[in-house]
């Protein structure tokens, strides 16, 4: 059975992004681990933690609990990230998570000639996002995650599902979400 890691970077209780991601997951086959980032105590890297992580990485010692998120990410067959489009990007909790899973010697490594080689098992990463207005540029949201997946983690295929303009006056939010669900259904 495939292992599906659902990285939930939504913050609101009634998140439209989470609703769309849950629909996507309902169409996938596998055992789902739902990681709700807002409920996790993930601190940004500070000087002390970075020095500790560097020491562990140099020793290839990943037994510290700090590496549990990276191990979970490494072991997933399919990854679904749900992250609303906020201020040109995604919630800060997702950035903290990315810092935590980006571990040289565990989720990626460098070759002697300096090439980055991804070590993750996943073949596919889905990125689900919604926005109250327009997503002006995917580069700092999906584009950032896509680049890491392809160039750092070794995940060969990524796909984004998005819904925009959900907060525009007069827009039928339910209809837009239904259209997005139909798009997901047709592309899987």
């Amino acid at each position: 059975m495939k292992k599906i890691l659902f990285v939930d970077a939504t913050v609101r209780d009634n998140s439209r992004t989470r609703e769309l991601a849950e629909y996507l997951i309902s169409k996938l086959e596998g055992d789902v681990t739902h990681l709700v980032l807002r409920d996790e105590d993930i601190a940004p890297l500070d000087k002390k933690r970075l020095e500790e992580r560097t020491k562990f990485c140099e020793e290839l010692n990943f037994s510290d609990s700090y590496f549990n998120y990276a191990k979970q990410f490494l072991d997933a067959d399919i990854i679904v990230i749900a992250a609303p489009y906020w201020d040109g990007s995604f919630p800060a909790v997702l950035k903290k998570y990315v810092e935590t899973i980006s571990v040289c010697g565990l989720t990626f490594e460098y070759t002697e000639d300096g090439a980055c080689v991804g070590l993750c098992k996943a073949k596919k990463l889905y990125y689900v996002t919604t926005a109250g207005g327009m997503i002006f540029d995917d580069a700092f949201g999906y584009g950032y995650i896509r680049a890491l997946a392809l160039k750092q983690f070794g995940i060969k295929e990524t796909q984004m599902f998005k819904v925009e303009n959900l907060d525009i006056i007069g827009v039928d939010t339910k209809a837009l979400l239904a259209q997005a669900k139909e798009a997901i259904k047709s592309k899987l």
Side-chain angles (χ1 to χ4, degrees):
M1 178 83 43
K2 289 185 178 179
K3 294 179 185 175
I4 300 169
L5 177 60
F6 176 18
V7 180
D8 185 346
T10 65
V11 177
R12 293 185 175 110
D13 290 333
N14 296 317
S15 169
R16 299 172 297 204
T17 304
R18 185 181 321 105
E19 177 185 338
L20 199 58
E22 287 173 346
Y23 179 81
L24 167 64
I25 289 168
S26 77
K27 301 301 177 197
L28 302 174
E29 293 183 19
D31 290 327
V32 178
T33 299
H34 187 180
L35 179 62
V36 182
L37 296 182
R38 71 179 180 177
D39 296 340
E40 300 295 315
D41 186 22
I42 302 174
L45 282 174
D46 60 14
K47 183 178 184 285
K48 179 182 178 220
R49 192 62 186 151
L50 183 59
E51 288 171 353
E52 289 172 349
R53 184 177 86 167
T54 300
K55 178 181 173 286
F56 285 130
C57 289
E58 287 172 351
E59 296 169 355
L60 295 177
N61 175 4
F62 304 114
S63 61
D64 189 87
S65 63
Y66 174 84
F67 297 106
N68 289 347
Y69 294 114
K71 290 177 189 177
Q72 183 181 52
F73 190 85
L74 173 73
D75 197 40
D77 296 303
I78 298 171
I79 298 164
V80 176
I81 297 176
Y85 183 77
W86 284 6
D87 303 321
S89 186
F90 43 70
V93 68
L94 183 55
K95 175 60 172 138
K96 292 188 300 182
Y97 175 77
V98 168
E99 285 181 352
T100 302
I101 64 169
S102 297
V103 180
C104 188
L106 188 59
T107 54
F108 70 95
E109 65 186 5
Y110 294 110
T111 63
E112 289 180 9
D113 62 350
C116 186
V117 177
L119 303 175
C120 293
K121 184 173 148 185
K123 302 287 184 245
K124 181 97 178 190
L125 181 142
Y126 295 98
Y127 187 86
V128 180
T129 192
T130 62
M134 297 229 8
I135 296 175
F136 298 111
D137 188 342
D138 292 341
F140 304 109
Y142 170 65
Y144 173 76
I145 297 297
R146 181 179 184 273
L148 288 174
L150 296 172
K151 299 181 185 291
Q152 182 170 322
F153 298 129
I155 302 169
K156 301 295 182 210
E157 189 177 348
T158 68
Q159 187 170 8
M160 177 174 62
F161 293 106
K162 68 180 178 178
V163 181
E164 300 174 282
N165 298 319
L166 290 169
D167 294 337
I168 303 300
I169 295 171
V171 164
D172 185 346
T173 301
K174 289 182 181 181
L176 288 177
L177 288 168
Q179 289 171 358
K181 289 174 183 176
E182 282 301 314
I184 288 170
K185 188 175 170 183
S186 71
K187 293 180 181 177
L188 292 180

